[in-house]
Amino acid sequence: MHLPSQRRTTFAGIALLSFAGVVLGHGHDEEDMAMKMGQPAPVQPTIVSSSATRPDTYFQYGEHSALMLSHIALMTIGWVFVLPISVMFSISRSRFGLPTQFIFLAVNATGVLLATIYNANTPDLYPNNAHHKLGWALTWVFGAQLVMGVIHAYARKDRSANAEFTPISAEAITEYQRIHSLRQAEIYRLSNDSGHGTEPNTESLRSNSLTSADSIDNLTEPEREDEEDLEEKHGLMHGTAVDKYLTNKIPALVSSHLLRVLAFFYNAVDRVVLILGFAAITSGIVTYGGFFMGSGVFSGLAHFIKGSVFFWYGILTLGRWAGCFAEIGWAWNVNPSRSNRPSAEFVESFLIFFYGASNVFLEHLAAWGGKWTAQDLEHVSLTLMFFGGGLCGMVIESRKVRDLLNTTKQSSMSHLPYHAGEPEAIEEPKSYRFSMNPLPALVILLLGMMMSSHHQESMVSTMIHTQWGTLLMGAAFARGVTYILCYLSPPTSILPGRPPTELMTAFCLMAGGMIFMTSARDTVMAMESNGLDAMFIFTVSMGIITFLMAWIILVIAIKGWAVRKENKTFAYHGVARR
């Protein structure tokens, strides 16, 4: 019941880029357009403490601050630390999946309770904000997923049925076969001459028989332990009255068709809940700081959505380095599957193409009916670059197109003789086995160069734009070095290649995306009003990104540990799981 990995990535990217299509291309021209159309100027955030009797933002509101700080701390612990581990356990079908989901739900519920108490005792300083609505919606969605998980666990308590939903690696199956063969060999040697002695009473034979018996005992002991683990895995509250009640009632109430539907939605939530949680955290920052009120929402959406796209692009790049999507050849490895699935570069090119195609008609949306400005034409040119670059990248990734490009040469060289001892002369080069498409990196490089020199209203804003533009250029150069390394030495293993330059690519994309988000007009004005310069946001972002990279790698490692533990349990029982 798992969604294919490339579809999950494509759907998540399309969702983010679709939202970006309804806002302006780049953020600082909205106020001029709004004033030309007679709209009120956006509300300017002032984060610094004010002498006015009524504060403008929650940040300035000093009363009941302990409740808000506790809410922020709990939500950070829940959504940044507990939830990713819970998702990894859930994806790996670990026995720890439901317990960690309960822990997250408890932490989140406590945070929601504190926020409710805080809102009841404070004025509404950000009317109709999206954070409250999104927070409640995600709480209900995750609660529903937990209920579906409990239903699934008890409805599929039978081992053979439960195995249908749990992945197993080829290494686990091979290990089981090896252990089984070893046990048979030891049994055979107990009943036959070991080769070390010829008489039944010789010391060598007795010692060998004793060692063999011990080996069998040692082999069967883990099996007994795994038998207990397997029984515990199938009961959330194993042996309790609640466990017995759910075991008797749920299987009779849930049909196989309904179970498949629940499994689909359960897996879908696993794939998007982290992105939705990121949206909840960023909307919480906006609400707490009082950013993007009035017509300033256009600038905020443009910068936050597009910056988050680069941020999650960096997370995807880091995941590829860590070994995610290795089963479809996205981890800088040889694709172990024979199916014609799209490459990672094709997905990147498609997302770039989709962004350009959806935004080329929307760059003048905020000043609809008014005259076009030079900034409008700049933004339209950017979308055309994304449209053309993405289209070119998809064409390059097409196997059919590349095969047709070789047709003329193959036809003209078919009559030429070649040495019989050199059959590789007509074989495809090794570089053909691996996708090396520089177009996505080229588009990002050009975007970084353009934004680094993009005119801004203040020195701080100009420096911030230069920072994230330079970081995007660094990501493009690092990806280019990766392709050079892969061209000189193409991957030959199905294991993740882990080129070191991809760590730099991921870092530059994540850091560039975060600084991109902070370069909106309201956030820059808040920095200036508090006496902060561009170096402040740069250094803070570098620290956060390096910590997040370490945490992401650890979370992926936890998933690998969980998969190995579950595969070990089922391998001893010879259960092949799909």
Side-chain angles (χ1 to χ4, degrees), residues 71-89 96 100-101 103-105 107-108 142 273-274 277-278 281 543-544 546-556 558-559:
H71 167 77
I72 294 173
L74 285 174
M75 288 307 184
T76 302
I77 294 173
W79 289 91
V80 178
F81 295 100
V82 180
L83 180 62
I85 296 178
S86 174
V87 171
M88 293 300 104
F89 282 153
F96 306 113
T100 52
Q101 287 179 345
I103 293 174
F104 168 76
L105 194 61
V107 174
N108 183 75
F142 196 85
V273 69
L274 292 178
F278 176 81
I281 292 175
I544 293 176
T546 51
F547 175 80
L548 283 179
M549 289 180 65
W551 176 239
I552 290 170
I553 294 174
L554 285 176
V555 168
I556 297 175
I558 290 173
K559 174 181 177 291

Side-chain angles (χ1 to χ4, degrees), residues 469-489:
T470 303
L471 285 168
L472 292 187
M473 288 192 292
F477 281 123
R479 175 59 63 85
V481 175
T482 299
Y483 286 140
I484 293 175
L485 295 176
C486 292
Y487 184 82
L488 296 176
S489 180

